[in-house]
Amino acid sequence: GDSVTQMEGPVTLSEEAFLTINCTYTATGYPSLFWYVQYPGEGLQLLLKATKADDKGSNKGFEATYRKETTSFHLEKGSVQVSDSAVYFCALSDRPGNTPLVFGKGTRLSVIA
Amino acid sequence: DAGITQSPRHKVTETGTPVTLRCHQTENHRYMYWYRQDPGHGLRLIHYSYGVKDTDKGEVSDGYSVSRSKTEDFLLTLESATSSQTSVYFCAISGTEKGMELFFGSGTQLSVL
């Protein structure tokens, strides 16, 4: 079945450091890919998405590129802030429409000043 | 913010008792989901609904049942709570106009003693 593998955390970075959180996937078709973020005490919210190969999703300085050849969707940000401290989830949906998403296990990011 | 309300926000119960969690939405979205979040497992789908009285099982549905008698309400019932069901439960919704984006509630922290 479909699955998502994320790098294990926690990840601790200093403010203004470069961030990469790796995500690879296994799917039978051509899935849509997502990154969700969960701030402390809250539910998840969509950070960015890409629906086809070579698409780049971006939001709030975060970017991720859908790489079909490596089945990857790594999350990057050039300069993290303390306010980026959260848990980040990679997810996929392999069928069109509102099918349930499959989530990775999440990566906790802590940014220190 | 999407209008999703989960109740209760926190609950402590004893093993063997029935528990019902409620998800209420004001968005008139067709699709509703229940996930559980556990350390080391990320988010796992319990059940989902694609319309009134239309539901389906997710990957961890054993010990849970759901009901959706109105578009706005999706109930999750633990028939006889066990300690392994101690978790944070999230409701999510999605509508066709937003594609596959999920909107999450704030979660219910359930402790089964």
Side-chain angles (χ1 to χ4, degrees), chain A residues 44-81:
Chain A
L44 281 71
Q45 56 186 275
L46 179 66
L47 181 60
L48 53 84
K49 68 179 181 183
T51 58
K52 61 183 187 294
D54 300 325
D55 269 1
K56 177 185 285 188
S58 61
N59 186 25
K60 300 181 181 180
F62 291 89
E63 294 182 339
T65 300
Y66 187 165
R67 301 288 189 198
K68 181 173 176 294
E69 63 276 12
T70 55
T71 62
S72 65
F73 192 54
H74 304 322
L75 182 68
E76 297 181 335
K77 186 176 186 183
S79 176
V80 294
Q81 305 300 312

Side-chain angles (χ1 to χ4, degrees), chain A residues 32 34 36 38 41-44 46 49 89 93 95 97-101 103-105, chain B residues 31 33 35 37 40-43 45 48 90 94-96 99-102 104-106:
Chain A
S32 294
F34 307 82
Y36 279 78
Q38 182 182 31
E42 299 182 8
L44 281 71
L46 179 66
K49 68 179 181 183
F89 292 90
S93 176
R95 288 173 286 167
N98 289 272
T99 53
L101 299 186
F103 286 87
K105 295 182 178 181
Chain B
Y31 298 87
Y33 311 83
Y35 285 90
Q37 183 178 20
H41 293 278
L43 266 74
L45 181 68
Y48 65 102
F90 285 100
S94 66
T96 54
M100 291 168 281
E101 179 176 356
L102 295 185
F104 282 80
S106 299

Side-chain angles (χ1 to χ4, degrees), chain B residues 1 12 25 28 36 38 41 67 69 76-77 79 86 111:
Chain B
D1 290 344
V12 180
Q25 60 144 330
N28 201 36
R36 61 178 287 176
D38 304 286
H41 293 278
S67 65
S69 58
L76 176 70
T77 297
E79 306 290 349
T86 292
S111 298

